[in-house]
Each structure stands twice: as C-alpha cells, then as structure tokens.
Amino acid sequence: MVPSGSSPTLQQGPGDRGLSSSQPTPQQSSPNILLIVFIHGFKGDDTTFGNFPSRLQHILSETVQDTIIESIVFPAYQTKGDLDKAVECFADWLTTLTVQKEVAHGAGGGAGCAKIVLCGHSMGGLLVADSTYAFVHTRPDTSAPLWPNIIACLAFDTPYLGLHPHVFKNSATKVAGYVQNVQKGASGLWSAFSQPVREPAAAVAQSKGLLPAPAQPPAPSPGRWGSWTPAAYAIGGALIAGAAAGTAYYHRAELEGSYGALMEHMQYVGALWDKDALAERVRHLVKGETMHGVIFRTFYTYLPPALPAHPSPRMFCLLPESSEDAFQHFVPARNTLAEDEVRAHVSMFEPGKNDGYYQLGLETAAVIRRALEDRRTVVHNAVVESGIESQVKDAHAGVEQQASIDDSDLLL
C-alpha cells in the first residue's frame, strides 16, 4: 500500500504515487484516471485524514478495473481571511494538477480522461462545493463538458447548514468547571469587543489583558480545547462561541495568542453563520448532481443515544428536514466511542477513536464506484447516440443519392 501525503508544490511526492488495479494496454491512447483529492478543514493540515486516503485508494484499486487510481492530499493552506481566496487558490492548484496528470499519462491536458473526486473534511467541504460551482459556472461554453472532470463532491462532517445547537450546549456543560480559570482573560476579550478601538489591534490586545502571542506556539493537545471554549461562553458572544465549539480544535494556541489573528479566523468561519448562503450552497450541490451528474454526499458524525446522559442521538452538523430533497444526500457515520460531538468530528479518521472508521471507508468507496459507473454510462450512451446519428445521416445520404440517380434516369 502506498501512503498518502502531500507537498507544498506539485512536485511528485508520497501522495502523488497511485495504485492501479490494471495497467492500461498499449492500445489505449487515453487511459482511465481517477484522482481522489482530499482537502482539510479549519485549522487542519495535510495529516488530518491519516491513512484514510491510502486505504480508500487500496479498496478502489482492488475493485475498479483498468483505471489508474491516485489519492492526493491538498497541501496545508491558511484557514483565515476570505473563504473565496482559498477557493481561488484551490481551483488553480486543481487545474494545474489535472493538466499534469493527464499529460503524464499521455492523454493530453484538458482531455477530461482524469475523473476527479473531491473529498473535504469539515470546512474543507465548503471549499469543495464552492470550487465545483465555480468550475461549472465559468465555462466559456455552457454546453461543453465540465473540466476538470469532477464526478463527485464528498464531504465529511461538513456543517453545510450550520453547527448543531447541541454542540454548543454540550461543550459548554463539559467545560463549565474551567470558566473561573479563564474569566479574567474572557473579560479582557469582551472589553476589546465592546469598547471603541482607538489603537492598533496588537496594542488593544495587550492593554486589555490578553496574553501576547508566544514566539513558538506549543504543540496542540486535547487538553487545550477546554481552556479556550469557556472564554467564549463567558463573554456571551455567539459568533465566538460557535467558532470555538465548532471549529477551533487544531492548533488552539494560535487562536489564543492574538486578537488580530482571532479576527482573521472569525472572518473565515463566518461562512457558517450566513444561513441563506448555506442553504443556497446545498441547493447548488443537489442541482449539480441532477444537472451535471456530480454526485453529492456528506457523511455526518452520528453518536447514538447513550442513557441516561444522552437520550437522543447527537450530531455535529445540522441536517436538512427529512421532507427536503437534500436530506437523502446526508449519510450518517456512526461513532460509539467518541465522548461528544466535537471529539467525534476531530477523530473521524482515527480508527482507534471511531469504531465506524472502516465502514466509512467502504461506504465512501461505494459512492465513488457509483460515480464512475454513472459517468461511464453517460459516455457509453453518448457514443451510441453518436453512432446512431451517423448511421441515420448515412442512410439519408444514400436515399438522396438514389433519388438523384432515379431523377437522372427519368431525364434520359
């Protein structure tokens, strides 16, 4: 099995080596290529997915014939500022990658033989969705095939409709005992928000009692989760609380260090609070499957009831109403080991902390195989229709030629 990794550039690295279930024969001028691209979420990095990409690649290589299969992890990117900038960066990267892979396999850039599956974890799913939408709606010719040839958008615990309210409630309850330890820092942060800013952000942070940014942030640890969340609840800020409970779980020290950095990260996760935009994005994803054949699925963490503390199931993400078309695109990913929604979200790709890890891999592979089969069916039907049209044209031409000959005979 080839491990999956990434590189800051498009130079070949561990994650750029693919397994192939069957090498194309020399007669095949355009081999089938499947690129499975993984994109991390807020404050994640290229280790977020662990061994999941290589395991998925192995499963598909054993079950999909005559296809070169590669799992590639998008290099770690900055999750701050405007989400649109991250989308633009990813779209450029994916375009370059597709050309390189198609040329490397002798297909010629832009041929579309490389079929692409985009897999995003957490807010990486927003990046997947917005990039696909951009590719669909920026084609010079709307009747032209989609390129890069994206056949599926898969998301893993992406809060497409926002974070479940119970995430805030359960997280607040769990860390309530720590509030007094950070109350002073929380008060200073609230003052920074509530009073007019007359000094640079860095100066405000220092004058209001916030801790200065460390020279070298310490390595993240699970224990630091509790030291940041209570501050958010203590100040009563819904936006800050949501970001803390929902997404601030990687490299927490970076968020604690600077008011300015905090604001940049809040701008990035602000996409989770625009309900209209969230709903519109989901409609586009559902429409993309109907109109363009780009399969859309999101696997959401599902913690079953655990009496007496949790009589109802728990989810990290809000779900569509069961009566909505989008509901069937949301697939539960069961985890009975995680203590709460946030831990389930963070440990989705850790088999030791998620007993549904292997089932998740099998279900993901099944969706990708279906996407491949659907696309092959479309191509096959197009070829058949083209052949029939050609035969009809030839038949019409023969009839017209015979009629012309008959007319000549009459003139004689």
Side-chain angles (χ1 to χ4, degrees), residues 191-208 259:
S191 298
F193 277 101
S194 60
Q195 296 183 13
V197 177
R198 297 187 177 87
E199 305 174 59
V204 171
Q206 294 180 359
S207 65
K208 300 305 178 182
Y259 173 85

Side-chain angles (χ1 to χ4, degrees), residues 56-382:
L56 181 61
Q57 178 176 309
H58 175 72
I59 294 172
L60 291 169
S61 296
E62 293 295 318
T63 56
V64 177
Q65 301 300 313
D66 300 320
T67 301
I68 299 170
I69 301 172
E70 298 185 56
S71 283
I72 301 172
V73 179
F74 179 53
Y77 61 97
Q78 291 292 322
T79 52
K80 62 181 182 179
D82 193 346
L83 178 62
D84 290 342
K85 293 181 180 178
V87 171
E88 182 179 351
C89 176
F90 174 73
D92 289 343
W93 178 88
L94 182 62
T95 299
T96 303
L97 174 73
T98 303
V99 171
Q100 288 187 355
K101 294 298 181 181
E102 291 187 338
V103 170
H105 293 294
C113 76
K115 299 175 179 63
I116 298 169
V117 175
L118 300 181
C119 302
H121 176 244
S122 190
M123 287 192 69
L126 302 185
L127 202 62
V128 164
D130 291 359
S131 298
T132 302
Y133 180 83
F135 282 123
V136 168
H137 292 275
T138 56
R139 291 172 296 167
D141 182 358
T142 56
S143 63
L146 178 61
W147 189 90
N149 189 4
I150 301 170
I151 63 173
C153 287
L154 307 183
F156 298 88
D157 225 21
T158 295
Y160 279 121
L161 295 173
L163 303 173
H164 199 288
H166 286 175
V167 172
F168 309 141
K169 176 184 176 181
N170 295 336
S171 296
T173 301
K174 183 176 292 292
V175 300
Y178 296 96
V179 172
Q180 292 182 352
N181 296 332
V182 294
Q183 188 173 13
K184 182 177 180 180
S187 176
L189 181 60
W190 176 246
S191 298
F193 277 101
S194 60
Q195 296 183 13
V197 177
R198 297 187 177 87
E199 305 174 59
V204 171
Q206 294 180 359
S207 65
K208 300 305 178 182
L210 294 183
L211 295 175
Q216 292 183 346
S221 62
R224 295 189 66 81
W225 158 250
S227 70
W228 198 82
T229 308
Y233 287 98
I235 65 175
L239 177 62
I240 306 300
T247 52
Y249 43 80
Y250 293 114
H251 308 309
R252 263 77 67 184
E254 295 179 12
L255 290 181
E256 297 171 339
S258 165
Y259 173 85
L262 182 64
M263 290 301 94
E264 288 186 339
H265 291 298
M266 292 306 100
Q267 181 184 1
Y268 189 83
V269 300
L272 296 179
W273 311 105
D274 189 339
K275 292 184 178 180
D276 292 338
L278 291 172
E280 184 69 12
R281 181 182 286 108
V282 171
R283 284 193 290 270
H284 284 313
L285 287 166
V286 173
K287 184 178 179 181
E289 180 167 338
T290 304
M291 302 296 295
H292 304 286
V294 180
I295 287 184
F296 162 54
R297 294 291 184 277
T298 178
F299 298 92
Y300 63 91
T301 52
Y302 174 89
L303 282 68
L307 298 174
H310 303 288
S312 301
R314 290 166 289 161
M315 285 81 70
F316 182 81
C317 307
L318 278 174
L319 304 180
E321 296 293 335
S322 58
S323 59
E324 298 179 13
D325 292 339
F327 183 76
Q328 62 182 334
H329 298 268
F330 285 68
V331 182
R334 186 183 179 93
N335 184 342
T336 65
L337 300 181
E339 297 180 11
D340 55 48
E341 301 93 326
V342 173
R343 284 181 171 83
H345 179 80
V346 176
S347 61
M348 199 169 193
F349 303 103
E350 299 180 37
K353 300 178 181 179
N354 176 17
D355 55 350
Y357 172 85
Y358 295 102
Q359 182 63 29
L360 177 64
L362 294 175
E363 292 184 6
T364 303
V367 173
I368 294 176
R369 283 196 298 269
R370 177 191 163 183
L372 284 169
E373 292 168 1
D374 289 353
R375 193 54 56 95
R376 286 172 178 172
T377 300
V378 170
V379 173
H380 174 73
N381 291 342

Side-chain angles (χ1 to χ4, degrees), residues 385-409:
E385 291 175 1
S386 177
I388 293 175
E389 290 178 359
S390 178
Q391 293 177 9
V392 171
K393 289 180 179 179
D394 290 344
H396 287 170
V399 170
E400 293 174 356
Q401 183 178 10
Q402 184 63 43
S404 176
I405 295 174
D406 293 343
D407 290 343
S408 299
D409 291 341

Side-chain angles (χ1 to χ4, degrees), residues 21-43:
S21 58
S22 177
Q23 292 295 331
T25 62
Q27 290 79 14
Q28 290 179 304
S29 59
S30 296
N32 294 315
I33 306 169
L34 175 62
L35 303 179
I36 310 171
V37 180
F38 292 83
I39 305 98
H40 69 75
F42 179 70
K43 298 307 296 177

